[in-house]
Amino acid sequence: MSEMLRELRERAGLSQAQLASRSGVAQPNIAAYESGRRNPSKAMVDRLRSAMRPLPHEALEQHRDALKELAAEYGLNNVRVFGSAGQGTDTTQSDLDILVTRSPNVGLLTIAEFSFAAEQLLGVPVDVVTDGGLPADHPILRSAVAA
């Protein structure tokens, strides 16, 4: 278990201090789990694994071009981000809120398929909103920034 936790943390690109900050678990406890001096409960392992997930804005930064290409494959363009990831306040519990413009022939099923494919690409939950039905002064439109 100790080797697995260390490997997962390193694969996530996190230091013990960063994992401690994200998970709320003291860094000395993480060190003890990784060295095998302490055995974490299943709940603690789940908590640490959750904290190792990328933040939505990090996933977007890493896969920005691929996300835009994916959107185009589904007849979507003008990809923007809003919500906590757009504001830089996202956490490991946050999703990535995406605003898109859809082509006239794109329906709800296609948008749902894109949302699923985007989640697979990014490794974080994704919510997709289309801009077609939003009034010009809608808060989402005002806060969305280019992805």
Side-chain angles (χ1 to χ4, degrees):
M1 178 63 66
S2 59
E3 273 298 305
M4 179 199 67
L5 284 175
R6 184 185 56 74
E7 287 176 18
L8 287 172
R9 178 185 55 77
E10 289 176 349
R11 210 173 320 142
L14 299 173
S15 67
Q16 287 182 355
Q18 290 168 317
L19 180 56
S21 175
R22 284 188 179 190
S23 66
V25 175
Q27 184 274 328
N29 289 345
I30 293 171
Y33 296 145
E34 289 186 3
S35 70
R37 292 190 316 268
R38 290 184 70 180
N39 289 319
S41 66
K42 180 184 177 334
M44 180 57 69
V45 171
D46 291 345
R47 180 176 175 180
L48 292 173
R49 288 182 94 153
S50 176
M52 289 183 220
R53 278 188 251 141
L55 297 175
H57 82 270
E58 294 170 342
L60 177 63
E61 287 172 10
Q62 187 174 11
H63 300 287
R64 184 179 316 275
D65 293 337
L67 179 65
K68 290 178 183 179
E69 290 172 14
L70 182 67
E73 291 173 20
Y74 283 88
L76 307 168
N77 60 61
N78 196 15
V79 180
R80 293 151 285 170
V81 64
F82 65 97
S84 61
Q87 298 167 358
T89 59
D90 53 341
T91 69
T92 56
Q93 303 306 310
S94 299
D95 60 3
L96 181 65
D97 298 307
I98 299 174
L99 179 66
V100 296
T101 302
R102 67 180 181 87
S103 300
N105 61 335
V106 172
L108 185 58
L109 183 58
T110 301
I111 295 166
E113 289 171 349
F114 166 70
S115 178
F116 179 78
E119 287 182 358
Q120 298 304 302
L121 171 68
L122 300 171
V124 298
V126 173
D127 279 339
V128 179
V129 175
T130 60
D131 58 10
L134 298 175
D137 63 342
H138 196 282
I140 290 175
L141 291 175
R142 287 197 313 264
S143 67
V145 294

